Amino acid sequence: MKKTKYPRGVYVAMICLSMLFAVTYSVPYVKSVFYDGMLAMTKVSNEKLGILMTIYGLGEILTLGIGGVIANRFNHRAIIVISSLGTALGCLLFALFPSFAMSLIVWTILVFSTLFMVWGTLFKAMRLMVSDEQQGELAGWFAGLIGLNYLIVNIVCLGVYSLFGKGNDVAGMKAVFYTFAILMVIFTFVTSFALKKVGIRNETALAEAKDGTTQSFFSDLKAVVRYRSVWYFGGTLFCIYSATVTITYFTPYFTDVLGVAAGLAGVIAIVRSYGTKLIGAPLGGVVAGKIKSVTTTIIYTFVGAAACLLVTLLVPGGKSQGIVITITVFVMLAALFNNAGNGIQYALPTEGKVPVRYYAAAIGFGSALGFLPDLYQHVLFGYWIDTYGKAGYSYIFLYGIIASVLGMGLLLIYNVDLKRQAKIPEAVH
């Protein structure tokens, strides 16, 4: 297989951007690692702490599409710098004035500084680095680097938490948020410099970006929603993200049903979340580059994820070592397939010939559809576990299988649509 090589500046910019990405999105999801620390810092109940993610989930739905359209009118480096410094400011405010009231303010700031215009812009920056033909493979490597950097950021923050906390959760969390703020400032400017240094290498994308910049907001929005690939991307993200959330519930399944110790279950969760992303995302990119089809590659990942989840559903629950090992293996494989598809799905609009001037809007609008599960899936899964106990997990895993099958069916239809539209030169994909 011919190995794709990028200029050194592209590698540097991709590494810097992936680190900034990992720090940025570690902040709103901080309770997934420091749950008890967040409870101590806000002094609220579990239910009230969940309000923070409700705010963030609403932000995903309400701001991503609009922000993506607006982002197309501004320089991508400027958006990344201003938004990232806003995130650093939010972290600093929460560290200085820890309370539930401040957390509500900070998470509202995060809606604008980590979602709104910057979400689509981060992917647009990648689009401008290499040719459209290289987008699938680059997206895979980028997602893999994000997985690695998430791991690094979490390890650093855990060390800071232990060093400064010493039994005091609030002190430990203050140190974590100070660390977030410092890292955000450092990687904001490093990334901005790296993006400026690499410049824009996709000349076709640059020409598209300059074309039509005088159109009105509503003209841009109307143009974006006309691309069927944007809707297919949103539907694909919805299915992949639904399966992703499903797989995270193997952590309580291991402790509640299989009787695995919480510490071991946590180690398995880290490997499942970050280790499989580190391997799976680049692998998906390599396959997409080899067969020259992002859509077909994601279809394969949906099939693999559904098959592995089906095995875990059929294996009887028990506490024997053999059952635990079997389920662990297939959970890891399901996560590997899921991350392989997740890493390259943001190249779908490119494969659908969405011009770069609409790319941030396409990612934003599609993501608003794709992240809809945040509004209901956690509540639904919690209800199933509370109401049906161990059987509730079976419903959860079945949900993930159905989501993967639906995603596979959606992209099979899209593949046919792509082939048909390829015969029409001026078709809107």
Side-chain angles (χ1 to χ4, degrees), residues 56-100:
Y56 201 70
L58 286 172
E60 290 170 334
I61 307 306
L62 298 176
T63 69
L64 287 178
I66 296 172
V69 175
I70 297 174
N72 284 314
R73 302 173 179 277
F74 298 93
N75 180 277
H76 63 290
R77 286 177 54 241
I79 292 174
I80 290 172
V81 169
I82 294 171
S83 298
S84 298
L85 291 179
T87 301
L89 175 62
C91 293
L92 187 61
L93 285 173
F94 196 40
L96 290 172
F97 309 104
S99 67
F100 182 62

Side-chain angles (χ1 to χ4, degrees), residues 74-391:
F74 298 93
N75 180 277
H76 63 290
R77 286 177 54 241
I79 292 174
I80 290 172
V81 169
I82 294 171
S83 298
S84 298
L85 291 179
T87 301
L89 175 62
C91 293
L92 187 61
L93 285 173
F94 196 40
L96 290 172
F97 309 104
S99 67
F100 182 62
M102 180 55 72
S103 73
L104 296 177
I105 295 172
V106 170
W107 258 253
T108 302
I109 292 174
L110 292 177
V111 167
F112 291 95
S113 67
T114 69
L115 296 174
F116 194 40
M117 291 196 293
V118 74
W119 174 254
T121 302
L122 290 168
F123 293 98
K124 180 180 177 180
M126 297 297 295
R127 173 91 181 260
L128 294 171
M129 284 188 204
V130 297
S131 68
D132 285 359
E133 290 73 23
Q134 296 174 307
Q135 288 296 315
E137 186 167 358
L138 188 72
W141 286 112
F142 181 55
L145 283 170
I146 290 172
L148 173 62
N149 288 324
Y150 269 131
L151 182 60
I152 293 172
V153 169
N154 280 317
I155 289 174
V156 169
C157 287
L158 281 170
V160 168
Y161 182 83
S162 299
L163 179 63
F164 291 92
K166 296 179 180 178
N168 186 327
D169 288 331
V170 175
M173 287 307 299
K174 284 184 177 181
V176 167
F177 276 92
Y178 280 128
T179 301
F180 280 148
I182 293 170
L183 290 175
M184 285 300 303
V185 171
I186 292 173
F187 281 100
T188 293
F189 291 107
V190 169
T191 301
S192 177
F193 177 78
L195 289 175
K196 181 179 181 180
K197 195 75 174 175
V198 74
I200 296 175
R201 297 181 177 273
N202 190 336
E203 295 301 327
T204 301
L206 176 60
E208 291 175 351
K210 291 181 177 178
D211 183 25
T213 55
T214 58
Q215 295 185 70
S216 69
F217 170 85
F218 293 104
S219 295
D220 280 355
L221 184 60
K222 182 179 178 180
V224 169
V225 300
R226 287 181 62 235
Y227 283 91
R228 287 192 289 277
S229 59
V230 174
W231 295 91
Y232 280 113
F233 161 63
T236 301
L237 177 57
F238 180 94
C239 294
I240 289 181
Y241 190 62
S242 294
T244 300
V245 175
T246 294
I247 292 171
T248 65
Y249 277 80
F250 276 102
T251 299
Y253 177 78
F254 272 99
T255 55
D256 293 348
V257 179
L258 302 184
V260 175
L264 178 57
V267 172
I268 293 173
I270 290 174
V271 176
R272 183 200 68 222
S273 297
Y274 304 123
T276 61
K277 189 178 186 68
L278 178 60
I279 298 171
L283 182 61
V286 170
V287 173
K290 183 177 178 62
I291 68 175
K292 300 187 185 305
S293 176
V294 173
T295 302
T296 301
T297 303
I298 299 178
I299 290 173
Y300 293 153
T301 67
F302 273 132
V303 173
C308 292
L309 287 174
L310 180 61
V311 171
T312 64
L313 185 63
L314 295 178
V315 172
K319 299 183 179 180
S320 70
Q321 187 177 29
I323 289 176
V324 172
I325 292 174
T326 299
I327 293 180
T328 299
V329 169
F330 281 95
V331 167
M332 292 299 176
L333 288 173
L336 186 71
F337 280 114
N338 182 260
N339 278 313
N342 187 43
I344 61 175
Q345 65 183 325
Y346 293 98
L348 282 173
T350 301
E351 192 167 71
K353 309 300 181 185
V354 174
V356 76
R357 70 174 180 270
Y358 299 135
Y359 193 68
I363 294 296
F365 186 82
S367 297
L369 299 175
F371 289 129
L372 279 171
D374 268 340
L375 290 183
Y376 71 89
Q377 198 167 336
H378 295 278
V379 176
L380 177 63
F381 286 1
Y383 170 78
W384 282 345
I385 295 173
D386 290 341
T387 304
Y388 303 107
K390 294 179 180 179

Side-chain angles (χ1 to χ4, degrees), residues 1-41:
M1 182 180 69
K2 183 179 179 181
K3 188 175 181 180
T4 301
K5 292 184 179 179
Y6 309 112
R8 184 173 62 179
V10 171
Y11 287 108
V12 173
M14 182 168 58
I15 291 170
C16 293
L17 194 64
S18 65
M19 177 57 86
L20 180 65
F21 191 106
V23 179
T24 298
Y25 295 102
S26 290
V27 179
Y29 294 98
V30 64
K31 78 180 183 70
S32 64
V33 178
F34 299 99
Y35 193 92
D36 291 337
M38 284 297 292
L39 284 176
M41 202 168 184

